[in-house]
Amino acid sequence: MCKYMITHSLLSSWLYMLTPNEYDIDDSSYTGFWATLNREPIPVTEAMQKGNDFENLITDIINGKDVTNHEWYEAALRVATIINGGVLQYKTQKDITVNGLQLVLIGRLDALKAGTIYDTKYSGNYDAGKYINSTQHPSYFELVPEAKQFTYLVSNGYQLWAETYRRDETPSIVPTIEDFLNWLNMQGLMDIYKNKWIIS
Amino acid sequence: MIRQPNEIADKDKKIRILIAGYPGIGKSTLALSAPNPLHIDVDFGIDRIEPRYRKPFIQPKSYDEILEDLKPNNVKDFDTLVFDTGGKLISLMSLWAIKKDPKYGQRDGSLSLKGYGFVGKEFVRLMDYCFYELNKHIVFTFHAIEEKDGDETRLRIKVEGQTKNNVWEPMDLGGFMEMHGNDRTIGFSNCERYFAKGTRGIKSVMKIPELTPSTPNDFLARLFEKYNATITQEIEENAKEMTAYEEVMAKGREIIASIKDADTANAAIPLVKSLNHALTSRQEFTVAFNKKITDLNLVFDKETNKYIEAINNV
């Protein structure tokens, strides 16, 4: 029987597309979802690049590289101090069956340490509670049943905020996956999904 | 003084709590149910509180006045400082900041980007001062406003700019007050409606008892007691888990260090199997173990169930 990959990014881009957004005048959320569904490369935006740069800076600090002159050093150092000693960029997956379909939920955790999953985010316009409806922490809790909490380490390059979610207050990701699969069926997009996300 | 993790059981820990809700829902009355409070009535709203629930208060007109009133001697007879509302406190702080240095303001009188940063830091400094130096419980009330998030309506605290992130950071607890039917409730768990903060077993939605002439206004005082009572139990449980985690990680590191070649890797197999994992040690150990195996150019032979040297194709 065939198995299909599912990721929090795919779910996230789908939910983002369904969310009315008055600023989305060029339908970029639709374009983004369509590209994700079709597993096409997504152009790197300035925000994404800053996120990558911030992550690289943290990695450099952990690896002992001298980056003290970088303007984001202080914030990146605080993140590095928190996640150092944990497993970085931990790739994991879990077989789940939803609506009769065999899926493999896949995730790459920025860091895993002593029962906490960490995800670093660069955000120029962070508001406390920004990630409350994210599909990331519910997905990753499903992937790592032993994890007790998930902490987003959010920085604008200068300040650092921690936004933590406990397992007991986090809804399961499975109903969201069910809704996604039902939506694909209704929209006639299931074949595209199966074709592009098939594993075996 | 260096203390061990299981010695944290501080039954008198001071609590920092944020209470948010629509105007008129009873935030101030609830805030004043904390132990022996001083009401810092920045909003000048004490007249809206029923007289029997009023407590000693100050009505500062400037942030300088607040700093002056919060001298240790002035507040020594109180256990809790109630800032009502936090939003108005930040407004006073903003005026104070701009007066201190015009670069913190803009022409229209609002804060500049630098100003927001400065006020955010000052908020944290004031919190730290009240918590660490004055050793008081701290209660902040904030008005809640609705924010559209797609089809959903979410509540958030009414604070301008990034200051709201500084506000959340030091809080032990943060709850949103809402009406559910005729009941007033406060929710401490994150949900689709709002981002909240609950720790030490204080979570989900709690009903706030209706106040009658014969009932004391002591909801927060009892909540703080519950919080501190839970500390002992939770710390013990966490300490047990952390100890088990650290022990197994230490054993794991020893095992990994003992592996030098295929023979020592095979000798390590029963040791690896005997590890009793805790928290996420299984994942963390496995990653480190697999790295060592790869670094030594070993592979697992499924036929013999043993590690062997990998044959490199040139």
Side-chain angles (χ1 to χ4, degrees):
Chain A
M1 198 167 177
C2 293
K3 287 184 179 179
Y4 305 94
M5 284 186 286
I6 189 102
T7 64
H8 110 79
S9 305
L10 177 60
L11 296 170
S12 178
S13 68
W14 168 66
L15 285 175
Y16 184 61
M17 181 194 66
L18 294 184
T19 306
N21 186 343
E22 58 187 297
Y23 302 109
D24 190 16
I25 46 173
D26 57 355
D27 285 339
S28 63
S29 61
Y30 175 78
T31 317
F33 169 67
W34 191 247
T36 309
L37 182 65
N38 282 285
R39 303 193 67 191
E40 290 165 0
I42 294 168
V44 178
T45 62
E46 191 187 339
M48 285 159 75
Q49 188 57 52
K50 280 184 172 176
N52 293 340
D53 292 346
F54 190 65
E55 264 190 41
N56 291 338
L57 186 64
I58 295 163
T59 309
D60 285 346
I61 292 171
I62 289 172
N63 292 336
K65 207 168 163 184
D66 181 12
V67 284
T68 47
N69 288 331
H70 198 290
E71 62 174 327
W72 297 344
Y73 175 73
E74 293 295 333
L77 176 66
R78 288 178 67 192
V79 176
T81 307
I82 293 168
I83 65 173
N84 197 14
V87 179
L88 308 183
Q89 300 303 322
Y90 177 64
K91 286 180 194 164
T92 184
Q93 60 182 61
K94 182 182 177 184
D95 286 6
I96 51 171
T97 303
V98 181
N99 291 2
L101 212 57
Q102 286 198 7
L103 303 174
V104 182
L105 181 63
I106 291 174
R108 195 186 69 172
L109 287 54
D110 282 350
L112 178 66
K113 184 179 173 184
T116 300
I117 299 167
Y118 293 98
D119 193 78
T120 58
K121 300 273 187 207
Y122 179 92
S123 175
N125 58 347
Y126 173 69
D127 275 345
K130 181 173 181 173
Y131 302 104
I132 194 165
N133 292 326
S134 171
T135 51
Q136 192 167 9
H137 55 283
S139 298
Y140 288 10
F141 273 135
E142 186 72 33
L143 284 167
V144 187
E146 297 89 347
K148 296 190 116 185
Q149 58 180 29
F150 183 115
T151 298
Y152 294 96
L153 297 169
V154 194
S155 177
N156 58 4
Y158 306 98
Q159 291 168 287
L160 177 69
W161 301 281
E163 190 172 311
T164 296
Y165 294 91
R166 296 188 314 268
R167 177 177 290 280
D168 66 343
E169 65 184 5
T170 300
S172 163
I173 193 64
V174 174
T176 306
I177 297 173
E178 279 173 0
D179 290 346
F180 173 63
L181 296 178
N182 290 336
W183 182 88
L184 287 175
N185 270 323
M186 282 193 301
Q187 300 295 323
L189 296 173
M190 185 54 95
D191 286 344
I192 294 180
Y193 169 68
K194 284 184 170 177
N195 192 25
K196 297 287 180 182
W197 293 79
I198 190 165
I199 296 177
S200 58
Chain B
M1 181 177 62
I2 297 170
R3 294 160 76 189
Q4 296 303 313
N6 57 3
E7 293 174 337
I8 297 176
D10 182 356
K11 288 178 183 160
D12 297 319
K13 179 189 182 290
K14 301 301 177 195
I15 317 289
R16 292 157 288 190
I17 183 173
L18 182 159
I19 298 168
Y22 291 123
I25 199 164
K27 294 185 295 295
S28 302
T29 306
L30 182 68
L32 295 174
S33 70
N36 189 24
L38 169 66
H39 187 186
I40 303 161
D41 182 22
V42 199
D43 245 9
F44 281 62
I46 198 166
D47 53 313
R48 296 194 292 266
I49 300 170
E50 272 193 54
R52 61 191 156 140
Y53 303 128
R54 292 176 192 166
K55 299 286 178 181
F57 67 100
I58 56 170
Q59 287 188 320
K61 290 182 179 144
S62 70
Y63 185 57
D64 277 324
E65 213 177 310
I66 294 176
L67 293 178
E68 187 58 36
D69 283 338
L70 292 185
K71 293 274 166 66
N73 248 342
N74 297 340
V75 294
K76 66 179 190 306
D77 296 330
F78 299 97
D79 296 317
T80 305
L81 301 175
V82 174
F83 291 91
D84 186 18
T85 60
K88 191 70 187 167
L89 168 75
I90 288 166
S91 298
L92 291 185
M93 237 178 223
S94 304
L95 292 172
W96 170 81
I98 295 169
K99 204 171 144 189
K100 214 174 171 63
D101 190 335
K103 76 169 184 248
Y104 295 138
Q106 300 189 99
R107 279 186 190 169
D108 63 359
S110 62
L111 282 175
S112 65
L113 211 56
K114 275 188 176 173
Y116 278 121
F118 180 77
V119 166
K121 279 182 189 166
E122 178 57 22
F123 181 88
V124 173
R125 192 204 64 77
L126 177 72
M127 286 284 286
D128 287 349
Y129 169 72
C130 296
F131 184 74
Y132 294 108
E133 291 192 38
L134 298 178
N135 193 30
K136 307 290 181 195
H137 296 294
I138 305 166
V139 182
F140 273 94
T141 66
F142 278 93
H143 290 310
I145 54 170
E146 290 184 346
E147 199 172 63
K148 284 297 252 186
D149 184 8
D151 289 337
E152 287 169 15
T153 302
R154 286 178 55 193
L155 294 176
R156 69 169 182 84
I157 59 170
K158 190 182 173 188
V159 185
E160 294 308 314
Q162 287 190 341
T163 319
K164 66 173 93 57
N165 304 324
N166 298 94
V167 165
W168 276 107
E169 204 170 340
M171 297 295 166
D172 298 303
L173 298 168
F176 275 83
M177 286 179 76
E178 289 188 284
M179 291 301 293
H180 284 162
N182 289 327
D183 293 331
R184 282 186 314 147
T185 61
I186 182 162
F188 290 104
S189 288
N190 291 311
C191 62
E192 286 178 352
R193 286 274 291 158
Y194 46 73
F195 172 71
K197 202 168 183 179
T199 47
R200 303 269 176 257
I202 309 293
K203 57 188 177 187
S204 70
V205 178
M206 294 178 175
K207 186 182 164 186
I208 302 166
E210 197 179 336
L211 290 170
T212 64
S214 59
T215 51
N217 184 25
D218 62 356
F219 182 85
L220 284 188
R222 285 187 289 111
L223 190 77
F224 291 179
E225 275 174 22
K226 184 182 172 191
Y227 182 102
N228 278 331
T230 317
I231 282 182
T232 314
Q233 192 190 343
E234 197 172 297
I235 293 296
E236 275 173 13
E237 283 168 12
N238 286 348
K240 262 186 211 165
E241 271 182 331
M242 276 310 283
T243 305
Y245 166 83
E246 278 160 13
E247 277 176 10
V248 73
M249 289 302 286
K251 274 187 198 166
R253 279 191 291 271
E254 262 178 49
I255 293 171
I256 290 168
S258 73
I259 301 173
K260 312 286 182 200
D261 50 26
D263 287 342
T264 46
N266 289 319
I269 293 173
L271 299 174
V272 171
K273 284 182 180 168
S274 72
L275 290 174
N276 287 320
H277 284 288
L279 294 172
T280 48
S281 66
R282 182 177 60 81
Q283 291 88 343
E284 295 174 59
F285 168 77
T286 305
V287 168
F289 182 84
N290 289 343
K291 184 178 182 305
K292 184 69 180 270
I293 294 297
T294 308
D295 288 349
L296 291 171
N297 199 29
L298 301 175
V299 288
F300 191 71
D301 179 10
K302 286 179 184 169
E303 280 182 21
T304 58
N305 277 341
K306 283 185 172 178
Y307 287 99
I308 55 170
E309 281 196 28
I311 300 161
N312 292 325
N313 293 324
V314 181

